[in-house]
Amino acid sequence: MRTAMAFTLRSLTPLGIFCMVPLLSRCESTAQLDAHSEDDAGGEGGAQEGGSTGGDDGDSETETPTSPVEGEFPVAAVAGPAPTPPMGWNSWNKLGCGRISASRVREAADAMVDSGMREAGYQFINIDDCWSTEERTEEGLLATDSKKFPDGIRVVADYVHEKGLKIGIYSDRGNTTCARRMASRGNEVLDAKTFADWGIDYLKYDNCDYVSDDSNGHNLDEDLMRTEFGLMSEALKESGRDIVYSVCAWRFYEWAVPLGSLWRTTNDITDEWSSIGPIIEKNGVELAAYAGPNQWNDPDMLEVGNGGMTSEEYRTHFGMWAMMSAPLIAGNDLSQMDQETIDILTNKEVIAVDQDLLAVQGVRVKKEGTTSVWVKPLGEFGARAVALLNQGNDVQDISFTLRDANLTGSSAKVRDLWRKSSLDDMKSDFTARVAPHSMLMLKLVGHEPELPSGNVQLSAMDWVYAANANGPVEKNQANGSNAADDGDRISLDGTEYETGLGVAPGSLLMYRLGKKCDRFRADAGVDDQVGDSGSVAFQVIGDDKVLYQSDVVTGADAPLELNVDVTGIYRLKLRVTNGMDGNLKDIASWANARLRCED
Ligand code: GAL
């Protein structure tokens, strides 16, 4: 594995610059170095090559500041097959079609335990394409390739289960899989039953549907795809076993959301840095609003440890997948990992960001050239993960403010999650120098926005979280294009509104109510800005329960008059989706959106 120089530098206090890594000539003062380092245990000393995290595993988490409203933001795991993004290993990225075998799958299970990955949260051992033959058995069942899996799949499944792990398998909605093995079209119920009989816990269902034997083209008719992915979704529900359903349609389709626990949002990842940026752009910017418990965007499996990127690039890849609440499915040879790969894949503080029970996907709050700042609120009171990402080829200073992280107050505790070390408290802003292709990943613990009181407009409140497909959510104006403050007056079916929120679906907003409110009201609809075209659906969610779900409404419809009981709710989520019509460029408004709360 190649390694890159990584160095980060923290600055911006009135006193000057604080250095995290004693590498840069600008970081000269030992007093300054001492000033910000509280509980580092060797992480920085070992950071010169690839920003190694040092051996600080047992380090304590950032303390939560004492707060009179502590506990008003409790989160709990939601029931279902994938309350947090699935974690595991899949055979494809490393073994492909040729090298998959029962012994390699067992080896991966052994290594998942021995390397500490199971302990870090990884669960699934997933067999990808090429476990089956090109024909069905005489009984019409999927047939296992006996050269690769001489004792069948059930024996391997038992082995994996005995290790305290779960097992996944692969099939396809078409006649054949992508590697032209037998697939499940027309046999969905039977195959789901077979998988359940074998003890399968996870199915990745692919999208290949070759138009002919000698062409690599596929029939991607959307109605057909939707129907066929749906058939397997139903079949799994009827199979008698809880099986996580991973829809692999190579890009995001809204109809996949109710079908699967996760859905691929992009084409296949490759083991090179140039593959990472476009995936982040698609999965991270446009689709964040769709993520939540049991519904995850899947930017594809990990390449960490496969050799085509530097350690620093792998850290960035893994860290950004965690920021995006992505499934963490390792794709390397687990039996041949060097320590650095293990350290990346098992960094518990980074994994905790991915697995956080608040279960919202991080969003990009700032972009300047090739640098960006990403924020993901966490379940712990006042906590945010913040990523400072440098995708460019030069060292860059990257800054953010407490406001960017939707925190109030004038300071926050800061912890560097890759180095596993606490830094000085930040004041209103923070700057770091970030190496090329690198990220600084922080956990902040600061002050949540105030709870609402009395009758209050949402546009007068601070949100905890805002995901929007195009530019920022606008207050008291419609969502224009991707710049801030660029919308017209909110207008629904000819009526103009002074107040409200303008969004570009998929959009998801989250506010703290702290059990203080009993009513949420709004007029909601497609904004007149897009005329009669456009179709969206509105969802009001209280503590992960759907309190209100609209039908699809179009620009020609009168606004919905929402009046939702939010009694006893800690946090309110408002989601707008795109009406399942494949058009992801709608504009919607929550007009006159208001809460009735205790004084
Ligand atoms: C692709 C899929 C890959 C892998 C491969 C197997 O369609 O995106 O992740 O499963 O098929 O043939």
Side-chain angles (χ1 to χ4, degrees), residues 232-308:
M232 185 50 93
S233 176
E234 282 310 306
L236 291 174
K237 282 184 201 133
E238 299 301 314
S239 72
R241 191 173 168 87
D242 286 340
I243 299 178
V244 173
Y245 185 37
S246 157
V247 172
C248 181
W250 311 321
R251 52 158 279 208
F252 177 74
Y253 296 98
E254 256 194 332
W255 46 256
V257 174
L259 302 184
S261 302
L262 62 157
W263 49 81
R264 271 276 292 281
T265 57
T266 50
N267 275 321
D268 289 18
I269 193 170
T270 54
D271 185 21
E272 52 207 334
W273 174 249
S274 59
S275 177
I276 301 300
I279 293 180
I280 292 175
E281 192 65 29
K282 170 58 74 180
N283 187 82
V285 179
E286 287 174 30
L287 304 175
Y290 290 93
N294 299 306
Q295 51 178 90
W296 304 107
N297 290 310
D298 175 8
D300 209 357
M301 303 165 301
L302 300 166
E303 293 284 6
V304 175
N306 276 336

Side-chain angles (χ1 to χ4, degrees), residues 92 128-129 170 178-179 204 206 208 248 250 264 268 300-301:
W92 185 255
D128 207 279
D129 205 352
Y170 164 100
C178 295
K204 173 174 168 184
D206 214 343
C208 280
C248 181
W250 311 321
R264 271 276 292 281
D268 289 18
D300 209 357
M301 303 165 301

Side-chain angles (χ1 to χ4, degrees), residues 29 33 52 69 102 138 147 184 219 231 245 270 278 313 408 418 423 435 463 497 560:
S29 153
L33 278 174
S52 159
V69 283
E138 278 173 13
K147 286 204 199 69
S184 294
N219 180 1
L231 286 173
Y245 185 37
T270 54
E313 289 165 347
T408 59
W418 279 119
L423 312 179
W463 52 62
Y497 294 81
L560 301 164

